[in-house]
Amino acid sequence: MKNYKHLTTILYFLILFSGCKEKKTPTTTPETTMANSEINKNPSTWAEKLGWPADKKVILLHADDIGMCPEANIAAKKQLTDGVIQSAAVMIPCPNAQEFISWAKENQKLDIGLHLTLTSEWKTYRWGTVSDKSEVPGLLDEEHKMWHEVPQVVQHASATEIEKEIRAQIEQSLAWGYRPDHIDTHMGTLFGHPSYVKVYMKVAQEYGIPANIIDISNPKVLAEFRSQGYPMDDSVVRMTEAYSLPKLDYFTSVPKAKTYPEKIANFKKLIGSLDSGLTEIIFHPSVLTENLKGITNSWQQRSWEAQMFSDPELIQFFKDEGIIFTNWREIMERFQKQK
């Protein structure tokens, strides 16, 4: 969510809701596959609630924007099969989504979800809705494509239209023969308005598919996301408290950098800054091609993000830091065992 594309969104929300008071490491290790024999009596984090040690950083390295283009698919397939990342999510409205879903069906042990998509941010490489255009007019611009930015969605689209479209994307995946392991939100759109959060949680709970809902009962976490402009008002706090599926303790993204060494250094600093608990870290891997350069000016960051998790330096860093890795499948398995 720290991608420059979100700057306009953040500024918009800071103004609109200023009155609120209140992203090769082994995919599995013995610690990720074996639950603790005793659950903490008074767990303070979701990592603890799910059986991980209280003082550990439990991380999901999660690839976003899969299905957007061939370059993203190639990069994510390699990272997932090499075991250097734990999770990925597909943008169903995009041109290469079905190809990746077909691959996911052949690789059922991998953790692959849906990157629920309500914006189409690039200048010339764009997509529309899965729903019939006549049923979700508020989601479409004058070119009959999704809006470029989150504030435009908030200004034009009702929660009813949002719900119809995210259900349509889930149903499309199911129609292609794949039940997603989790759902999340492209460009943070589903956190763009309290009414969107409500339908997002509703749909996740009805399908029994976990969403990237952050536990904002932690005042530090709540304050940080509010400071970034997310409209997490009192109604969102209450909705989050009532949400019946597992939550994340924290959510962030791989930092940008001007050079590859700086990229690695910035990422290490991010890891070092994390509190113990369950954290999802998103990034946008793509192999570098001229086609990618024609889609987005973030091509250099995406190319580095396709390389960095196979970097021996970073792999050793994870070992030295005692990082535990997990994915949404394991989270749900642990969650269901405790019910």
Side-chain angles (χ1 to χ4, degrees), residues 131-255:
S131 305
D132 187 283
K133 292 179 174 60
S134 65
E135 297 180 351
V136 288
L139 284 171
L140 298 166
D141 66 10
E142 62 280 356
E143 297 176 350
H144 300 291
K145 304 295 183 183
M146 290 181 173
W147 296 103
H148 286 275
E149 299 289 347
V150 178
Q152 294 173 305
V153 181
V154 175
Q155 290 165 4
H156 294 92
S158 68
T160 300
E161 290 171 307
I162 294 290
E163 181 175 353
K164 181 178 288 291
E165 178 60 20
I166 64 176
R167 285 184 183 276
Q169 292 181 23
I170 294 170
E171 288 297 328
Q172 181 64 84
S173 182
L174 294 173
W176 287 340
Y178 187 77
R179 178 178 171 80
D181 292 308
H182 61 279
I183 52 177
D184 57 40
T185 171
H186 182 53
M187 294 178 68
T189 313
L190 288 167
F191 294 112
H193 191 275
S195 66
Y196 296 1
V197 179
K198 183 176 181 179
V199 298
Y200 184 32
M201 291 185 182
K202 173 186 173 183
V203 169
Q205 291 171 126
E206 286 186 9
Y207 280 93
I209 300 173
N212 64 329
I213 301 301
I214 305 152
D215 189 345
I216 52 176
S217 65
N218 182 334
K220 176 182 174 182
V221 174
L222 178 58
E224 178 175 342
F225 282 96
R226 282 180 169 172
S227 73
Q228 293 177 15
Y230 291 95
M232 293 184 175
D233 64 12
D234 290 347
S235 71
V236 175
V237 173
R238 291 192 296 270
M239 282 186 268
T240 303
E241 288 173 350
Y243 178 69
S244 63
L245 294 172
K247 302 170 205 171
L248 298 165
D249 292 306
Y250 192 59
F251 180 95
T252 188
S253 60
V254 172

Side-chain angles (χ1 to χ4, degrees), residues 73-100:
N73 288 9
I74 293 167
K77 287 177 186 179
K78 177 169 174 52
Q79 289 181 318
L80 287 164
T81 55
D82 286 352
V84 299
I85 68 170
Q86 291 73 52
S87 189
V90 183
M91 300 173 73
I92 291 295
C94 294
N96 296 96
Q98 187 170 7
E99 185 271 329
F100 197 87

Side-chain angles (χ1 to χ4, degrees), residues 274-292:
L274 296 176
D275 292 332
S276 59
L278 181 60
T279 298
E280 180 172 297
I281 304 176
I282 64 167
F283 56 98
H284 307 87
S286 293
V287 296
L288 184 55
T289 67
E290 290 304 312
N291 182 58
L292 183 68

